[in-house]
Amino acid sequence: ITMKPGYAGRSALPDSLSALFRPVAMMVPDYALIGEIMFFAFGFEYAKECGAKMVTTFKLCSEQLSSQPHYDYGMRAVKTVITAAGNLKRAEPEGDEMVLLLRALQDVNIPKFLSFDLPLFSGIISDLFPGKKRPDLDYGSLFGVMKNVIAKNGLQALPWFVDKVIQLYEMIVVRHG
């Protein structure tokens, strides 16, 4: 039984029921170690460095970015970034592992950040990944189809709108393969 009364959708157990259970203390897991092991499982050579950079990124984001209910820097976010990086590693086994991690962090986090937090996130990323840049990706026929659908629906293909569509596509790829 988990008791986390402050968490959304949960309520506290009545005293008569909670008296039947023994309290257990929990501690925060070592995300860097968990990340290192999972990165190794995906075949990363520099798993220790990747795990440390990922945890540092989330720590700095939680300290510097605005507090929003949909921002998550816990185990769910760690797992999502590692899975995304592992999928990228599978697609590009010889790719630069730091660039793969950079792409995974951006693919997972940028779509959920508000516009005023994006410059701060970009600063965190540029500080943690000096000299590394996200490569330009070829989305194949996605751009052509996207522009046709936008025009067909009477919309304008403004750069920010196209970026949001690409972010949605990247998020679907990250979440659903």
Side-chain angles (χ1 to χ4, degrees), residues 48-66:
K48 188 175 193 82
E49 293 84 356
C50 288
K53 282 198 182 213
M54 178 188 60
V55 170
T56 304
T57 301
F58 285 141
K59 181 177 179 290
L60 291 172
C61 285
S62 68
E63 292 169 356
Q64 295 180 18
L65 273 55
S66 66

Side-chain angles (χ1 to χ4, degrees), residues 4 19 91 94 101 109 112 117 136:
K4 200 170 185 183
E94 302 304 318
L101 176 60
N109 290 303
K112 67 183 171 188
D117 282 330
D136 293 328

